């Protein structure tokens, strides 16, 4: 039977979480908001609207949400030509493809941002499909992005594994009924990932690749 390995991208395969933190912090600062970077970091991985609501509260001027989101996008876009893939990220995807897994990306990125992330990975030949923000109505921690990825792969939840780096990823995967693997390279503690639903946790893509034989993504899975 076919199997699907579904991957978040930001912070999981490409080292972008702290770039997002910096861009959001500056967007908030320019709009007159003082938001601690550690609070921004804990919110990275949420859709823009949810991130803004979590950090500014429901009593904010919601008419300025689009302005904040656009500022973040413009600031983050300055890094598109040099986004760094995490160690062995591309090799991990290629190895899974060789082992017979359908590799699907499930990301909130779209358009030029998604293109930049895929250029950083340089592993298009291993990627079966991509579920982007444009394809779903609700982002993580909703299970919709993961479920859509499974639809693209044509694989049931019980034959899939979702790999991510945030609690929002783990919650989305758990709610979609798939096994979850957490990576520490996004900066979220192991205990938080496990509490949110991670079945196994590794340092980064290189660590997962080195431990593949004993992981939920084992060739024998």
């Amino acid at each position: 039977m076919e199997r699907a390995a579904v991957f978040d991208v930001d912070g999981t395969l490409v080292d972008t979480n702290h770039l997002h933190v910096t861009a959001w912090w500056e967007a908030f600062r320019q709009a007159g908001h003082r938001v601690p970077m550690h609070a921004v970091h804990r919110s990275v991985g949420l859709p823009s609207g949810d991130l803004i609501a979590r950090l500014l509260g429901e009593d904010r001027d919601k008419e300025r949400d689009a302005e904040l989101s656009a500022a973040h996008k413009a600031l983050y876009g300055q890094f598109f030509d040099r986004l760094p893939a995490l160690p062995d990220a591309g090799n991990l995807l290629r190895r899974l493809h060789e082992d017979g897994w359908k590799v699907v990306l499930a990301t909130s990125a779209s358009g030029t941002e998604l293109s930049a992330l895929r250029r950083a990975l340089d592993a298009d030949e291993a990627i079966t499909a991509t579920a982007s923000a444009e394809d779903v109505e609700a982002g993580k921690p909703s299970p919709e992005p993961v479920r859509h990825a499974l639809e693209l792969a044509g694989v049931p939840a019980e034959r899939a594994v979702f790999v991510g780096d945030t609690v929002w990823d783990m919650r989305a995967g758990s709610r979609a009924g798939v096994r979850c693997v957490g990576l520490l390279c996004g900066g979220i503690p192991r205990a938080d990932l496990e509490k949110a639903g991670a079945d196994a946790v590794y340092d980064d893509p290189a660590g997962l690749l080195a431990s593949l034989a004993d992981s939920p993504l084992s060739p024998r899975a």
Side-chain angles (χ1 to χ4, degrees), residues 29 46-47 73 75 134 136 138 143 146 154 158 168 179 187 189 199-200:
R29 189 198 67 80
L46 289 171
K73 186 174 182 179
L75 290 160
E134 297 172 338
V136 296
V146 180
E158 60 269 20
W168 320 117
R179 296 186 70 187
D199 295 288

Side-chain angles (χ1 to χ4, degrees), residues 136-155:
V136 296
E137 293 183 4
K140 306 162 196 169
S142 163
E144 188 176 352
V146 180
R147 287 174 178 163
H148 181 58
L150 297 181
E151 290 173 2
L152 293 175
V155 173

Side-chain angles (χ1 to χ4, degrees), residues 143-221:
E144 188 176 352
V146 180
R147 287 174 178 163
H148 181 58
L150 297 181
E151 290 173 2
L152 293 175
V155 173
E158 60 269 20
R159 296 288 296 168
V161 177
F162 180 49
V163 184
D165 68 295
T166 69
V167 295
W168 320 117
D169 292 326
M170 299 301 100
R171 291 176 186 174
S174 296
R175 291 169 183 173
V178 304
R179 296 186 70 187
C180 296
V181 170
L183 299 185
L184 298 173
C185 44
I188 301 302
R190 177 186 299 269
D192 290 3
L193 295 174
E194 291 175 341
K195 184 178 179 180
D199 295 288
V201 179
Y202 302 88
D203 286 342
D204 55 16
L208 176 55
L209 179 60
S211 303
L212 209 56
D214 298 315
S215 79
L217 288 160
S218 164
R220 302 186 302 274

Side-chain angles (χ1 to χ4, degrees), residues 32 40 71 77 83 101 121 167 185 187:
V40 178
L83 297 181
W101 292 81
L121 283 172
V167 295
C185 44

